[in-house]
């Protein structure tokens, strides 16, 4: 269930970005707000720098920092997050709190 939810979010973001098969800062910029990031609020980091930091986090310590987050990197990131969360409900709440603004009704409901 967790992996399915994570995949659905990636697919939705990828669709918004032109279905390239990866996510970039250009894809996330109009979708993900970093306005409340503490360093952005303090003027120590630009919004683009905060978005790049977000992407780097998804690429993980093994990422090549190519500015592209693949599905595999996306899933690996959420697998690492998932390990520390016992409850499926809490994991779902965390995901929806972060990405709920992507939700829209499709033709089939």
């Amino acid at each position: 269930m967790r992996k399915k939810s994570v995949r659905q979010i990636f697919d939705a973001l990828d669709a918004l970005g032109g279905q390239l098969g990866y996510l970039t800062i250009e894809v996330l910029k109009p979708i993900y707000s970093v306005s409340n990031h503490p360093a952005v609020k303090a003027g120590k980091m630009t919004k683009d720098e905060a978005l790049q930091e977000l992407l780097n986090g998804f690429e993980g310590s093994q990422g090549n920092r190519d500015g592209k987050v693949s599905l595999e990197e996306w899933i690996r990131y959420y697998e690492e997050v998932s390990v520390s969360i016992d409850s499926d409900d809490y994991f779902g709440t965390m995901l929806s709190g972060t990405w709920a603004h992507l939700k829209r009704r499709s033709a089939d409901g």
Side-chain angles (χ1 to χ4, degrees), residues 1 3 5 7 12-14 20 25 27 32 48 54 58-59 63 66 72-73 76 87 90 93 95-96 100 102 104 106:
M1 188 260 338
K3 192 176 266 188
S5 297
R7 173 68 189 254
L13 290 168
D14 189 32
L20 301 171
I25 194 170
V27 171
Y32 191 86
D48 282 352
L54 175 71
F58 281 107
E59 285 194 88
D66 63 355
E72 293 77 24
E73 290 169 330
R76 189 175 333 121
S87 165
Y90 183 78
T93 299
L95 281 179
S96 67
L102 296 175
R104 62 184 162 162
S106 62

Side-chain angles (χ1 to χ4, degrees), residues 13 24-34 47-49 51 54-55:
L13 290 168
T24 65
I25 194 170
E26 289 79 20
V27 171
L28 293 179
K29 188 183 279 191
I31 299 165
Y32 191 86
S33 175
V34 293
K47 289 181 179 181
D48 282 352
E49 289 170 334
L51 283 170
L54 175 71
L55 283 176

Side-chain angles (χ1 to χ4, degrees), residues 29 32-43 45-47 50-51:
K29 188 183 279 191
Y32 191 86
S33 175
V34 293
S35 298
N36 288 323
H37 188 293
V40 171
K41 288 175 94 172
M45 183 182 284
T46 67
K47 289 181 179 181
L51 283 170

Side-chain angles (χ1 to χ4, degrees), residues 3-101:
K3 192 176 266 188
K4 180 181 176 187
S5 297
V6 167
R7 173 68 189 254
Q8 287 175 331
I9 294 167
F10 181 90
D11 289 345
L13 290 168
D14 189 32
L16 291 170
Q19 295 188 334
L20 301 171
Y22 55 84
L23 307 177
T24 65
I25 194 170
E26 289 79 20
V27 171
L28 293 179
K29 188 183 279 191
I31 299 165
Y32 191 86
S33 175
V34 293
S35 298
N36 288 323
H37 188 293
V40 171
K41 288 175 94 172
K44 296 179 179 179
M45 183 182 284
T46 67
K47 289 181 179 181
D48 282 352
E49 289 170 334
L51 283 170
Q52 189 59 56
E53 180 180 81
L54 175 71
L55 283 176
N56 290 347
F58 281 107
E59 285 194 88
S61 61
Q62 304 300 314
N64 59 7
R65 301 294 187 256
D66 63 355
K68 299 174 184 177
V69 176
S70 68
L71 174 60
E72 293 77 24
E73 290 169 330
W74 182 265
I75 289 173
R76 189 175 333 121
Y77 171 84
Y78 276 111
E79 283 175 343
E80 290 175 12
V81 171
S82 180
V83 169
S84 65
I85 300 174
D86 292 332
S87 165
D88 288 343
D89 289 339
Y90 183 78
F91 185 81
T93 299
M94 182 269 307
L95 281 179
S96 67
T98 304
W99 301 107
H101 59 287

